[in-house]
Amino acid sequence: HTVQRGRMLCAPCIWPGFGGPRALGTVGILTLVLCSCSGQPESLPWLLPDSSSWEHQGGLVFIHMESSLYSLPCSPIEMEVADPTYHWVQDRADTKLFSVTKEGHLLFQHFQAHDSGKYSCTLSYMKHGIPVSHTFHYNVFGYHVLGGLDTVLLFYSKLCEDEWTKRFVWVLQEKLRQLEIEQHCKLQLTATVCFPSLSNPSDEFIIQVQLEVSLFGPHWDEHCNSQDMEMAIDCYHRTVRHNLVQVQLALTRFFKEHKSFHVTGAGTPSINFTNEFVGFLKTKECSGGYGQTKQLQGCLDCCIACPPGTFSSPKDSQCSPCPAGTYSLIYGMASCTPCKDGMITRTPGASSMTDCVEKERTKQVVSITHRIPVLILLILPALLATNLLFILSSCYWFCQEYRVSPPRASMMTESTTWMEIVTSFFRMPRQGPQAVPDAEPCSEISPLDTNASQGSDEEYTQETPPLAMSPDLAAVTDETNRVLTLKDRKENF
């Protein structure tokens, strides 16, 4: 990538040095030809790099579990530089010592799921007295092709005690150790059960042993050393199928040769465990800490190491997020690590110990979240009551404005009944704003005059139109009322 970039930038870097295309002389043309042929911009002393460091994304790298040897180069392409130095780092805090070749290749031996992660390699060298560095980043994932073997073994014995059963299992594992080395596989005893036999329940017992066979033992891929991804995956598939048949034949032959196992104890005679049955079941399940994804396009039936924050139990084909209260730090976890006492994670899928928080803080957040609907229910009635009072007050003030400013004379007939009701309810005064200033005070009128005036008012109210009239008409009505009152007083005298 870097060499190609230098070839593309070789010609443009020369143009400015000679004043443009028109000023390009014979020396410039020869230099351009030499630069294009060699492809080495370093031959030009004035071609200094624009930047002294570059960052490159190397992409995804998949390494099969228990690979005998995998070599990861520092640069995805060959870079011919003088006296380079290589520095590999990993994103994890507890990184182990790396095995790096003199060419800068990182070596993985017996690759495990927890070796997955983000790796970076920095290539440093000197260019015309200026230090230059290139950093390449890789995402490394462990994987394995599907293929395994489950074996069920039945042994007869005279005893069914835990102590003798544990001794028998230990002897059986020691006998199978040589078979593991020869067949490049791993044998793991997963379960042991003891129960009385049907033929003689009192004196005879059956020991059932479940044996799990992994085909990825030491040097299982000694015939697959290709660095090409597609060729390596194809070789792995063929190797797994071949080893599966060979391991099954080897186990069958082994238990035919070893029909009885003698177990001795301190001060007691030996007890025989006689083999009576051997059964095989071919499986296509992911190992613990691995799950099937479409991340590896060249092998859709392969199992990829579960990333931090997820886990996969044995014989489970999917990576699941860690439940609340647990976390996983590294790749390929078969189970998640629980938080310390009194701490919990707020969400599933935690990938760090710092995601664990105290339960009280979590409860406070949850309680506030649950209280929000209650607060809304308490505030909503108050808002509705305030809006209702605002509407009623607006109606009241509207009626007040309606009384002060009567409608036009053309609408008097239609609103007569409504104004009578409003007038009687609010006791609206009949004197308008244009009252006569020289009216006599009410204190000079005797009680008899007051009654007479009231009677006169009642008659006037019945015979005259309602108060919904113009201000001028209201003033005339008031003047007529005063004339009648003065006339009544003269008659009394």
Side-chain angles (χ1 to χ4, degrees):
H1 177 71
T2 307
V3 175
Q4 292 177 355
R5 181 174 181 267
R7 290 175 181 175
M8 293 175 63
L9 296 180
C10 180
C13 290
I14 297 176
W15 292 112
F18 292 92
R22 297 180 180 178
L24 184 62
T26 306
V27 178
I29 295 176
L30 292 176
T31 306
L32 177 61
V33 172
L34 292 175
C35 178
S36 302
C37 295
S38 63
Q40 299 294 334
E42 292 84 354
S43 60
L44 301 177
W46 58 85
L47 284 179
L48 298 179
D50 297 334
S51 176
S52 61
S53 62
W54 287 269
E55 297 282 337
H56 308 273
Q57 293 297 329
L60 302 179
V61 177
F62 295 91
I63 305 176
H64 200 288
M65 64 179 295
E66 292 293 344
S67 294
S68 300
L69 183 63
Y70 188 91
S71 176
L72 180 62
C74 180
S75 171
I77 61 173
E78 245 181 84
M79 297 181 62
E80 295 181 1
V81 295
D83 299 327
T85 58
Y86 306 93
H87 180 64
W88 283 92
V89 295
Q90 192 181 5
D91 59 345
R92 287 167 46 189
D94 55 341
T95 55
K96 59 182 180 180
L97 295 177
F98 296 129
S99 178
V100 182
T101 64
K102 63 179 182 179
E103 294 83 10
H105 293 201
L106 180 63
L107 299 180
F108 293 99
Q109 292 182 337
H110 306 295
F111 188 88
Q112 302 296 326
H114 57 78
D115 293 328
S116 304
K118 296 181 179 180
Y119 291 81
S120 299
C121 177
T122 301
L123 169 64
S124 303
Y125 57 96
M126 298 297 294
K127 180 179 180 181
H128 306 301
I130 298 176
V132 181
S133 64
H134 297 262
T135 302
F136 302 90
H137 303 279
Y138 300 95
N139 287 334
V140 179
F141 292 90
Y143 78 99
H144 73 83
V145 297
L146 292 176
L149 195 66
D150 281 347
T151 307
V152 178
L153 308 173
L154 296 181
F155 298 87
Y156 286 97
S157 175
K158 296 294 182 180
L159 291 177
C160 189
E161 297 179 1
D162 292 341
E163 182 180 355
W164 286 98
T165 302
K166 290 180 180 178
R167 292 182 182 180
F168 163 67
V169 170
W170 183 83
V171 172
L172 180 61
Q173 287 179 331
E174 289 297 318
K175 294 287 185 179
L176 292 172
R177 196 75 64 190
Q178 185 63 29
L179 188 145
E180 286 183 322
I181 298 174
E182 294 175 356
Q183 300 298 324
H184 307 291
C185 64
K186 290 182 179 180
L187 304 177
Q188 183 179 3
L189 297 175
T190 57
T192 304
V193 182
C194 180
F195 51 89
S197 66
L198 296 177
S199 58
N200 191 2
S202 59
D203 296 334
E204 193 174 51
F205 298 91
I206 297 177
I207 311 298
Q208 177 179 323
V209 178
Q210 292 184 357
L211 190 67
E212 184 178 328
V213 181
S214 173
L215 304 177
F216 311 116
H219 306 289
W220 72 277
D221 61 340
E222 57 185 2
H223 301 293
C224 303
N225 53 7
S226 175
Q227 293 291 325
D228 182 77
M229 180 66 66
E230 294 183 0
M231 294 180 61
I233 291 176
D234 182 64
C235 183
Y236 292 152
H237 277 97
R238 288 186 281 104
T239 303
V240 166
R241 289 193 296 267
H242 177 267
N243 291 351
L244 188 63
V245 176
Q246 295 300 318
V247 170
Q248 184 174 346
L249 293 175
L251 285 173
T252 303
R253 183 171 57 252
F254 174 85
F255 286 108
K256 283 183 178 180
E257 296 175 356
H258 301 79
K259 293 293 296 182
S260 181
F261 295 86
H262 302 282
V263 180
T264 59
T268 59
S270 63
I271 298 176
N272 293 331
F273 290 81
T274 305
N275 174 248
E276 294 293 337
F277 175 79
V278 179
F280 299 96
L281 177 64
K282 296 180 181 180
T283 61
K284 283 193 174 183
E285 296 173 339
C286 297
S287 302
Y290 289 81
Q292 282 187 279
T293 64
K294 296 181 180 180
Q295 203 167 9
L296 182 55
Q297 299 295 331
C299 184
L300 297 180
D301 61 341
C302 289
C303 301
I304 312 298
C306 297
T310 62
F311 76 104
S312 175
S313 57
K315 298 184 179 181
D316 192 358
S317 299
Q318 298 295 331
C319 296
S320 303
C322 290
T326 62
Y327 62 93
S328 64
L329 298 175
I330 59 177
Y331 289 78
M333 292 296 293
S335 61
C336 298
T337 306
C339 296
K340 296 180 179 180
D341 294 339
M343 303 187 75
I344 193 173
T345 57
R346 295 177 179 175
T347 58
S351 59
S352 174
M353 189 183 301
T354 56
D355 294 331
C356 296
V357 297
E358 297 180 2
K359 291 183 179 180
E360 295 181 356
R361 296 181 180 178
T362 306
K363 290 181 179 178
Q364 291 177 359
V365 175
V366 174
S367 61
I368 293 174
T369 306
H370 285 291
R371 288 178 184 175
I372 289 177
V374 179
L375 295 174
I376 293 176
L377 292 176
L378 293 176
I379 295 174
L380 187 60
L383 294 176
L384 293 176
T386 304
N387 292 334
L388 183 61
L389 291 176
F390 176 77
I391 293 172
L392 293 176
S393 61
S394 300
C395 294
Y396 173 76
W397 288 111
F398 175 76
C399 294
Q400 290 286 78
E401 292 293 334
Y402 194 90
R403 177 179 61 82
V404 174
S405 301
R408 297 178 180 178
S410 60
M411 301 176 62
M412 290 173 55
T413 306
E414 299 178 359
S415 60
T416 301
T417 306
W418 167 251
M419 290 304 302
E420 288 179 355
I421 296 173
V422 174
T423 304
S424 62
F425 180 79
F426 292 98
R427 293 186 176 276
M428 298 170 60
R430 286 188 274 283
Q431 292 184 1
Q434 299 178 0
V436 179
D438 58 347
E440 297 181 5
C442 297
S443 59
E444 297 180 2
I445 302 175
S446 61
L448 294 177
D449 296 335
T450 304
N451 294 334
S453 176
Q454 290 178 355
S456 173
D457 290 342
E458 292 176 359
E459 294 177 0
Y460 178 78
T461 303
Q462 295 176 358
E463 296 176 359
T464 57
L467 294 175
M469 56 186 67
S470 62
D472 296 337
L473 186 58
V476 174
T477 305
D478 292 340
E479 290 293 335
T480 308
N481 192 13
R482 289 192 186 91
V483 172
L484 293 175
T485 304
L486 292 175
K487 182 178 179 181
D488 291 339
R489 291 179 64 183
K490 288 179 182 180
E491 288 177 359
N492 290 334
F493 285 107

